[in-house]
């Protein structure tokens, strides 16, 4: 006899053929394994289904713990609005398993209505239409804590309507801890969850390592969307339009595809990561091929602990004008997020000044709302009329405090349930004896009533964070996962501090239930109660368990491990993981976060007793710090030089020629950009000698380029040209194109561009243009933005020297756009200088002067003194065209002084020519 594929147990109906559960006409979302558990229980209604039977039937050969089974049962009870203590549908049979006790009124093969068939078809295609607007919030709030929030709900629904119409919405919900930010957002999101055409992702910023983990809440939100049943196409979409993001989400792709993807995204820049996701969101939510594109909802919590990169991405998404069915909710605490110098404050000020975000500040509940809460929570009661007023005064209308205080009164039996409803024992006066001074004191009182076993679990859980896997807690306490899961489930069942948060799987195959503290205040206060010695021990055990679980994928949790080991006072391991966390941040082009990790690693390294054994670690940290600082402060910043100089001081203790080369190369870049050419010449000679000694062709390619660039600016053009030719002749595209990841520039592009300039100075005009065009074409083929900007800049220079105004205008605009998109300040200034020349050539000398003065000021502001004599000469020419030769001569005086001080002679002949023209013009004007 075949198994029925439809089970009706009012108000629910399970359709096994289509894998869906209905509550009347509403679709109830379930994970596939959880759905299979319900199906099996229904198929054996009235019978005991053992744990082993469920394991073998649902999971097959996959090993799963008892926690996973219990988590699935919790999810079912949550979906069915069932209660383990007083079950209507699923009964726990102690020591055996579970039994479905609900009345199954129909078991048959599926016969569904046309309306349901249409809904399922739309769901499979992910094109179910969302109504253009949602009904206004009901005066009956969906949850008790939402009393008094009707106006706020109406406002949120209004913004939701705009997002549905294609007008992106960035909404910040703010307020002190316990004010109900998450609860309010949940009320809106809950209405969307059953709609297959809405994609919802949630991400949490975490205090102990939030600011250092780049894109933490964004990646968590994207991962949750991708892992949700039925969302397989989301991973495929990321792979097509945002591969650098999919590469950061290994749980969404198999190992083979992961390796291919990593190769594909090599050389990623920070700007590319931002652009990819911003554009992917627009394509995904405004795709013209879809009659009704999806609505993407992202909920990002506790942004006061956010990393810098997440805030940058949030601002990038907000600034765009294109249509997108996008709704982002962000929560933060003003007291922490709006302090002077906090990065969130700067982002908020910018977005608010341009009307690119909305903000909803939640006030405390008023007395009427508190009364409404009491009436709804305790219907048909005989409670005193003054109770609500007293509760409002005691809790100041803070929803979390209100709820927790009433829970405390119930637990103390001061509020009891009798046949005629709820009663207050001892009257209003009884409350006065138990009124806490504040919410902290109330929570402390609740904590004191927790039994010893649960106390240990909650203390260990607070070490992990607001959310935690039971497997980590079991390891920290040296106890069984089953015991931790059982205790956590019991606490969640009675709403004592915890609530279930699903299931997670570690790379080693461990499947663990997850729980979370019902509020961050609970986690914070439990954490404060853990003594220093015990905190150290718990952190170490958690770190060791997580480290073992992730194996060769340990980089995914490098930041957490660094924090755990630091708190466990194993500083050597903490330094190791801070270094790996920095490397991961650099792969994400999150250089600000990398600098934070490296700074922490260096601080901890200084505390270790035996410095000699850790010299190699410090060497690597200093080297990586130099690379990161170059990206965020520019090559000429003094902090860059300090980082590389410190690494050089440690270089005697390393025998790796490539690492030594990278230090010298970083120092060479610093001195070249600051026009300190004689020091740069010394360093480039060292680079060449090191490359020769090591017989490394890749290093020779870079060394010849460095020598050539230095000689070029010193005016030794022929010798410089020879080095450029040697570099390009040694270059192997298959082997050396990866240099863009190490040196941020392709050496063939740089040397080909420079050889074009050298040829022009030597009088070979046609060959000069050909060389720079070749460099530009190859840079475009590499798809490396920095190399593209470098090549485009030099090609424009040759056009300028040939007097081709039209080409200079066209290509300078392209360079400016490229520089702004990827935040290349050096090339942005160069584009402006080229545009200034073109403006003067077409008769707008005053405009040209203004642009050139601005560009030179910006250049000096970032300590970029390279080629200042050249740019001063160009400025002098503009003054001449504007009929101001005296000002031009003043600029030339500065140009010659700088050239003499720096020995920058490559443009010296032209400098004399321009000075002569200015003197002639001045003579003409005076006679």
């Amino acid at each position: 006899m075949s198994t029925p594929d439809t089970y009706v147990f009012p108000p629910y109906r399970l359709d096994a053929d289509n894998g869906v559960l209905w509550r009347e006409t509403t679709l109830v979302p379930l994970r596939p394994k959880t759905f299979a558990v319900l199906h099996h229980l229904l198929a054996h209604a009235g019978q005991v289904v053992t744990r082993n039977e469920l394991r073998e039937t649902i999971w097959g050969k996959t090993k799963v713990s008892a926690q996973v089974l219990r988590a699935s049962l919790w999810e079912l009870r949550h979906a069915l609005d069932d209660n383990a203590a007083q079950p209507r549908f699923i009964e726990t049979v102690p020591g055996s398993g579970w039994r479905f006790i609900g009345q199954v009124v129909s078991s048959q093969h599926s016969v569904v209505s046309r309306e349901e068939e249409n809904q399922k078809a739309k769901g499979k295609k992910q094109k179910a239409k969302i109504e253009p607007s949602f009904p206004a919030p009901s005066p009956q709030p969906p949850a008790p804590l939402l009393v008094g929030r009707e106006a706020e709900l109406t406002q949120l629904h209004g913004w939701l309507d705009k997002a549905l119409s294609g007008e992106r919405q960035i909404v910040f919900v703010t307020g002190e801890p316990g004010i109900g930010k998450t609860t309010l957002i949940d009320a809106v999101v809950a209405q969307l969850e059953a709609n297959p055409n809405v994609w919802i992702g949630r991400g949490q910023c975490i205090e102990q390592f939030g600011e250092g983990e780049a894109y933490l809440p964004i990646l968590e939100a994207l991962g949750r969307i991708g892992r949700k049943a039925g969302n397989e196409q989301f991973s495929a979409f990321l792979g097509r339009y945002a591969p650098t993001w999919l590469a950061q989400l290994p749980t969404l792709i198999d190992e083979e595809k992961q390796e291919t993807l990593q190769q594909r995204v090599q050389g990623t820049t920070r700007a590319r990561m931002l652009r990819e996701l911003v554009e992917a969101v627009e394509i995904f939510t405004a795709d013209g091929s879809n009659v009704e594109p999806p609505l993407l909802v992202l909920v990002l919590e506790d942004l006061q602990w956010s990393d810098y990169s997440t805030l940058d991405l949030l601002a990038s998404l907000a600034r765009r004008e294109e249509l997108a069915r996008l709704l982002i909710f962000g929560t933060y605490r003003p007291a922490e997020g709006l302090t002077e110098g906090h990065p969130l404050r700067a982002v908020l000020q910018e977005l608010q000044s341009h009307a690119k975000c909305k903000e909803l500040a939640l006030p405390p509940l008023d007395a009427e709302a508190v009364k409404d809460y009491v009436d709804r929570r305790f219907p048909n009661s005989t409670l005193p009329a003054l109770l609500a007023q007293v509760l409002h005064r005691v809790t100041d209308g803070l929803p979390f405090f209100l709820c927790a205080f009433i829970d405390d009164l119930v637990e103390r039996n001061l509020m009891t349930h009798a046949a005629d409803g709820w009663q207050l024992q001892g009257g209003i006066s009884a409350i006065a004896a138990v009124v806490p001074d504040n919410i902290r004191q109330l929570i402390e009182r609740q904590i004191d009533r927790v039994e010893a076993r649960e106390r240990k679990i909650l203390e260990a859980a607070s070490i992990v964070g607001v959310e935690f896997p039971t497997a980590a807690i079991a390891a920290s306490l040296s106890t069984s996962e089953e015991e931790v899961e059982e205790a956590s489930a019991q606490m969640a069942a009675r709403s004592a501090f915890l609530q279930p948060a699903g299931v997670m799987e570690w790379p080693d195959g461990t499947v663990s239930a997850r729980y979370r503290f019902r509020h961050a205040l609970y986690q914070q206060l439990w954490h404060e109660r853990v003594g220093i010695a015990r905190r150290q021990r718990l952190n170490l055990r958690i770190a060791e368990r997580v480290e073992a679980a992730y194996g060769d994928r340990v980089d995914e949790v490098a930041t957490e491990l660094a924090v755990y080991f630091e708190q466990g006072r194993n500083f050597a391991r903490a330094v190791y993981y801070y270094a790996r966390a920095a490397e991961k941040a650099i792969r994400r082009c999150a250089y600000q976060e990398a600098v934070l990790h490296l700074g922490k690693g260096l601080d901890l390294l200084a505390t270790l007793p035996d410095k000699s054994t850790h010299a190699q670690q410090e060497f690597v940290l200093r080297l990586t710090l130099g690379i990161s600082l170059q990206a965020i402060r520019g090559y000429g910043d003094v902090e860059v030089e300090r980082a590389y100089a410190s690494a050089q001081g440690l270089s005697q203790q390393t025998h790796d020629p490539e690492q030594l080369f990278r230090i010298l190369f970083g120092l060479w870049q610093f001195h070249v950009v600051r026009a300190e050419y004689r020091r740069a010449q010394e360093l480039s000679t060292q680079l060449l000698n090191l490359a020769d000694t090591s017989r490394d062709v890749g290093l020779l390619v870079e060394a010849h380029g460095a020598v050539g660039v230095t000689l070029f600016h010193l005016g030794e053009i022929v010798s410089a040209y020879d080095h450029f030719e040697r570099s390009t002749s040694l270059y192997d595209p298959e082997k050396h194109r990866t240099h863009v990841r190490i040196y941020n520039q392709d050496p063939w592009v740089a040397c080909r561009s420079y050889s074009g300039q050298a040829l022009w100075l030597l009088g070979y005009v046609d060959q000069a243009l050909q060389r720079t065009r070749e460099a530009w074409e190859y840079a475009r083929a590499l798809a490396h933005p920095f190399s593209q900007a470098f090549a485009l800049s030099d090609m424009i220079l040759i056009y300028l020297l040939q007097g081709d105004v039209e080409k200079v205008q066209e290509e300078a605009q392209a360079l400016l756009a490229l520089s702004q998109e990827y935040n290349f300040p050096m090339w942005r200034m160069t584009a402006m200088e080229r545009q200034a020349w073109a403006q003067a050539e077409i008769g707008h000398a005053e405009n040209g002067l203004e642009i050139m003065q601005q560009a030179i000021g910006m250049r000096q502001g970032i300590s970029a003194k390279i080629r200042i004599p050249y740019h001063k000469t160009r400025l002098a020419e503009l003054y001449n065209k504007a009929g101001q030769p005296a000002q031009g001569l003043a600029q030339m005086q500065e140009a010659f002084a700088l050239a003499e001080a720096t020995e920058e002679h490559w443009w010296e002949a032209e400098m004399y020519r321009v000075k002569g023209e200015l003197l002639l013009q001045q003579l003409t004007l005076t006679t």
Side-chain angles (χ1 to χ4, degrees):
M1 180 177 178
S2 62
T3 302
D5 51 18
T6 298
Y7 296 86
V8 180
F9 52 107
Y12 298 95
R13 182 170 65 260
L14 180 140
D15 180 354
D17 184 47
N18 292 287
V20 292
L21 176 68
W22 297 88
R23 180 187 175 102
E24 296 176 342
T25 59
T26 301
L27 194 65
V28 180
L30 285 178
R31 295 185 306 111
K33 295 295 187 187
T34 305
F35 181 89
V37 170
L38 177 59
H39 187 199
H40 191 78
L41 289 171
L42 284 166
H44 300 82
Q47 304 173 30
V48 176
V49 176
T50 67
R51 294 184 177 90
N52 287 338
E53 182 181 344
L54 278 179
R55 284 192 184 99
E56 294 171 3
T57 304
I58 309 303
W59 281 272
K61 296 181 180 180
T62 302
K63 293 182 180 180
V64 294
S65 66
Q67 296 95 299
V68 175
L69 294 177
R70 280 194 285 269
S72 293
L73 267 296
W74 178 88
E75 289 179 32
L76 279 181
R77 288 187 173 117
H78 181 73
L80 300 175
D81 196 22
D82 202 10
N83 188 304
Q86 297 178 328
R88 293 185 301 144
F89 298 113
I90 300 173
E91 176 187 56
T92 299
V93 181
S96 298
W98 297 272
R99 174 169 44 219
F100 191 87
I101 60 173
Q103 183 181 11
V104 182
V105 300
S106 175
S107 299
Q108 59 192 30
H109 290 287
S110 294
V111 179
V112 297
S113 69
R114 182 179 300 275
E115 178 184 354
E116 290 168 5
E117 288 177 347
N118 291 340
Q119 181 65 31
K120 293 166 193 168
K122 291 177 182 178
K124 289 179 180 179
K125 296 178 182 178
Q126 290 295 307
K127 292 182 180 179
K129 183 176 180 180
I130 303 174
E131 293 299 322
S133 64
F134 283 78
S138 167
Q140 303 296 322
L145 281 180
L146 282 179
V147 295
R149 299 295 189 210
E150 288 79 9
E152 288 84 355
L153 278 170
T154 300
Q155 182 66 78
L156 290 182
H157 278 291
W159 291 326
L160 173 60
D161 285 344
K162 290 185 177 181
L164 287 164
S165 68
E167 184 180 341
R168 67 182 66 209
Q169 299 294 303
I170 313 297
V171 178
F172 294 101
V173 181
T174 78
E176 62 181 297
I179 202 70
K181 301 182 290 292
T182 300
T183 303
L184 181 65
I185 293 171
D186 285 348
V188 177
V189 172
Q191 300 180 30
L192 306 172
E193 286 180 336
N195 194 312
N197 208 35
V198 178
W199 301 68
I200 302 169
R202 306 185 76 109
Q204 173 79 46
C205 301
I206 302 174
E207 183 176 14
Q208 58 260 48
F209 48 80
E211 70 172 8
E213 181 68 7
Y215 302 113
L216 175 66
I218 299 292
L219 290 168
E220 183 184 357
L222 296 178
R224 291 193 177 198
I225 294 173
R227 288 190 296 271
K228 187 176 179 182
N231 288 5
E232 293 80 7
Q233 68 268 41
F234 183 76
S235 299
F237 177 86
L238 286 179
R240 181 177 180 185
Y241 294 105
T244 60
W245 289 85
L246 184 60
Q248 310 294 331
L249 297 165
T251 58
L252 301 188
I253 49 178
D254 60 43
E255 191 171 331
E256 184 178 345
K257 290 181 179 178
Q258 174 79 0
E259 290 180 7
T260 303
L261 190 59
Q262 290 291 354
Q263 294 175 359
R264 179 182 167 191
V265 301
Q266 285 182 355
T268 295
T269 64
R270 176 179 176 277
R272 174 183 169 183
M273 281 198 72
L274 291 175
R275 189 186 74 253
E276 269 191 6
L277 194 60
V278 167
E279 292 181 353
V281 165
E282 289 166 5
I283 294 169
F284 184 65
T285 60
D287 188 352
S289 63
N290 258 343
V291 176
E292 194 77 22
L295 171 69
L296 179 63
V297 180
L298 299 178
V299 181
L300 309 177
E301 299 195 65
D302 289 320
L303 288 172
Q304 73 275 0
W305 298 326
S306 176
D307 57 283
Y308 294 93
S309 296
T310 291
L311 296 176
D312 285 346
L313 176 61
L314 199 57
S316 297
L317 287 166
R319 292 187 197 108
R320 302 275 286 206
E321 300 290 344
E322 288 77 3
L323 293 178
R325 286 161 61 94
L326 171 67
L327 175 61
I328 297 179
F329 289 120
T331 70
Y332 73 89
R333 304 175 187 177
E336 298 174 58
L338 298 183
T339 56
E340 189 69 34
H342 197 291
L344 176 60
R345 178 179 179 177
V347 169
L348 288 169
Q349 287 175 339
E350 182 207 340
L351 297 183
Q352 288 167 351
S353 66
H354 294 91
K356 293 297 183 181
C357 70
K358 312 294 191 303
E359 184 159 321
L360 185 62
L362 299 186
L365 299 176
D366 59 23
E368 187 61 33
V370 173
K371 182 179 184 304
D372 193 13
Y373 173 80
V374 173
D375 291 343
R376 292 175 188 277
R377 181 162 177 178
F378 305 106
N380 305 317
S381 67
T382 56
L383 298 171
L386 288 175
L387 177 62
Q389 296 180 30
V390 173
L391 290 173
H392 181 259
R393 185 178 70 252
V394 169
T395 65
D396 291 323
L398 190 67
F400 177 67
F401 195 178
L402 172 65
C403 182
F405 185 48
I406 289 179
D407 287 343
D408 187 63
L409 294 176
V410 172
E411 192 167 346
R412 287 169 170 269
N413 291 319
L414 291 175
M415 293 181 71
T416 59
H417 189 263
D420 57 346
W422 285 89
Q423 299 175 349
L424 183 64
Q425 301 299 322
I428 292 292
S429 59
I431 296 180
V434 295
V435 170
D437 293 334
N438 50 48
I439 192 168
R440 174 182 286 265
Q441 187 184 81
L442 174 62
I443 296 174
E444 291 281 3
R445 202 159 68 191
Q446 294 173 338
I447 287 174
D448 290 339
R449 293 198 293 265
V450 175
E451 66 172 41
R453 181 184 69 154
E454 293 177 345
R455 182 187 299 273
K456 290 181 179 180
I457 290 171
L458 290 166
E459 287 175 349
S462 73
I463 298 296
V464 179
V466 174
E467 191 169 307
F468 60 90
T470 54
I473 307 309
S476 71
L477 298 175
S478 300
T479 189
S480 70
E481 293 181 35
E482 188 167 342
E483 181 180 348
V484 174
E485 166 59 22
E486 182 181 356
S488 300
Q490 289 173 357
M491 285 187 279
R494 65 176 192 268
S495 298
F497 297 110
L498 300 181
Q499 62 188 34
V503 178
M504 70 163 293
E505 182 175 356
W506 279 338
D508 68 350
T510 299
V511 181
S512 173
R514 290 183 69 88
Y515 286 84
R516 64 179 291 121
F517 285 93
R518 290 174 57 209
H519 198 280
L521 283 174
Y522 286 140
Q523 183 262 339
Q524 178 184 338
L525 290 178
W526 274 108
H527 190 271
E528 290 175 3
R529 293 176 69 90
V530 184
I532 294 175
R534 187 156 185 263
R535 186 180 301 175
Q536 178 181 337
R537 185 171 63 255
L538 290 171
N539 271 290
L540 274 179
R541 289 178 178 175
I542 291 168
E544 290 163 358
R545 180 64 181 94
V546 173
E547 186 179 43
Y550 275 82
D552 58 4
R553 286 172 51 184
V554 76
D555 277 357
E556 295 174 29
V557 288
T559 306
E560 295 102 299
L561 287 173
V563 173
Y564 292 146
F565 277 119
E566 180 183 1
Q567 294 297 317
R569 300 192 68 78
N570 186 337
F571 294 151
R573 296 299 290 165
V575 169
Y576 172 77
Y577 280 110
Y578 274 126
R580 296 192 70 159
E583 291 169 4
K584 181 174 70 169
I586 290 172
R587 288 197 296 273
R588 293 178 181 174
C589 304
Y591 296 102
Q592 188 72 50
E593 288 82 352
V595 169
L596 287 172
H597 292 313
L598 294 163
K600 289 179 180 178
L602 288 166
D603 288 343
L604 290 178
L605 202 58
T607 68
L608 297 178
D610 188 355
K611 301 294 188 297
S612 61
T613 59
H614 302 290
Q616 176 63 22
Q617 275 185 298
E618 183 178 357
F619 176 81
V620 173
L621 290 172
R622 298 284 183 190
L623 176 60
T624 312
L625 181 61
I627 295 168
S628 303
L629 289 170
Q630 277 182 334
I632 61 177
R633 298 191 181 183
Y635 292 106
D637 190 89
V638 292
E639 290 298 322
V640 172
E641 195 268 344
R642 285 179 189 150
Y644 280 120
S646 297
Q648 187 181 25
L650 296 160
S651 61
Q652 292 86 354
Q653 301 180 50
T654 182
H655 302 288
D656 187 333
E658 185 174 353
Q659 287 187 335
L660 288 173
F661 189 93
R662 289 173 66 183
I663 292 172
L664 294 173
F665 195 88
L667 287 169
W668 169 79
Q669 289 175 312
F670 169 81
H671 290 289
V672 162
V673 169
R674 293 174 71 93
E676 296 165 358
Y677 297 115
R678 287 304 175 187
R679 177 59 181 143
Q681 187 176 28
E682 294 172 9
L683 290 164
S684 64
T685 301
Q686 291 180 47
L687 286 169
L688 190 55
N689 291 336
L690 181 59
D692 274 329
T693 303
S694 66
R695 299 181 184 277
D696 187 317
V697 176
L699 300 186
L700 281 168
V701 168
E702 296 290 348
H704 279 296
V707 172
V709 169
T710 308
L711 292 174
F712 179 90
H713 287 96
L714 288 169
E716 300 178 32
I717 308 301
V718 174
S719 296
Y721 178 80
D722 289 340
H723 283 285
F724 296 142
E725 290 296 286
R726 290 184 200 177
S727 177
T728 53
S729 67
L730 292 170
Y731 181 90
D732 183 337
E734 294 299 318
K735 295 178 181 178
H736 303 140
R737 65 192 300 164
T738 58
H739 281 212
V740 295
R741 298 203 311 272
I742 302 171
Y743 304 102
N744 201 35
Q745 167 67 300
D746 181 79
W748 193 92
V749 170
C751 289
R752 207 65 169 174
S753 295
Y754 262 109
S755 67
Q757 296 179 61
L759 285 168
W760 190 90
L761 291 171
L762 294 171
Y764 299 96
V765 178
D766 293 337
Q767 293 94 320
L769 183 58
Q770 180 62 29
R771 288 292 176 89
T772 55
R773 281 177 174 170
E774 288 171 356
W776 167 234
E777 292 299 328
Y778 186 63
R780 287 204 300 180
L782 283 174
H784 184 248
F786 192 88
S787 298
Q788 289 175 329
F790 192 107
L792 187 55
S793 170
D794 284 355
M795 187 173 69
I796 298 170
L797 176 60
I798 301 301
Y799 283 132
L800 185 153
L801 295 173
Q802 291 182 338
D804 193 333
V805 178
E806 185 177 343
K807 274 291 187 182
V808 170
Q809 285 182 308
E810 177 186 344
E811 302 297 356
Q813 189 59 43
L815 178 60
L816 185 62
L818 185 67
S819 303
Q820 289 174 333
E821 180 179 1
Y822 290 96
N823 192 28
F824 296 151
M826 182 75 77
W827 304 123
R828 180 186 177 193
M829 291 180 283
T830 302
M832 292 170 64
E833 290 155 357
R834 309 288 195 253
Q835 286 180 324
W837 175 86
Q839 284 288 303
E841 290 298 306
I842 61 175
H844 302 306
E846 292 294 338
N847 288 345
L849 268 174
E850 184 179 346
I851 296 171
M852 180 65 83
Q853 288 168 336
Q854 183 182 0
I856 291 178
M858 292 168 60
R859 184 178 291 274
Q860 292 174 324
I862 61 169
S863 301
K865 297 180 181 179
I866 186 173
R867 297 198 174 193
I868 290 291
Y870 164 82
H871 297 296
K872 288 279 186 183
T873 303
R874 288 293 179 203
L875 181 58
E877 286 185 294
L878 293 176
Y879 274 119
N880 199 21
K881 287 184 178 293
Q884 304 174 50
Q887 288 88 334
L889 285 168
Q891 291 297 322
M892 289 309 303
Q893 184 176 358
E894 291 182 23
F896 276 107
L898 281 168
E900 183 179 357
T902 62
E903 299 185 63
E904 183 177 310
H905 300 303
W906 73 282
W907 196 245
E908 199 164 35
E910 287 294 297
M911 291 167 64
Y912 281 110
R913 178 187 63 79
V914 172
K915 183 178 180 179
E917 290 181 351
L918 285 162
L919 288 169
L920 183 61
Q921 176 74 351
Q922 188 178 50
L923 182 62
T924 303
L925 290 175
T926 56
T927 58

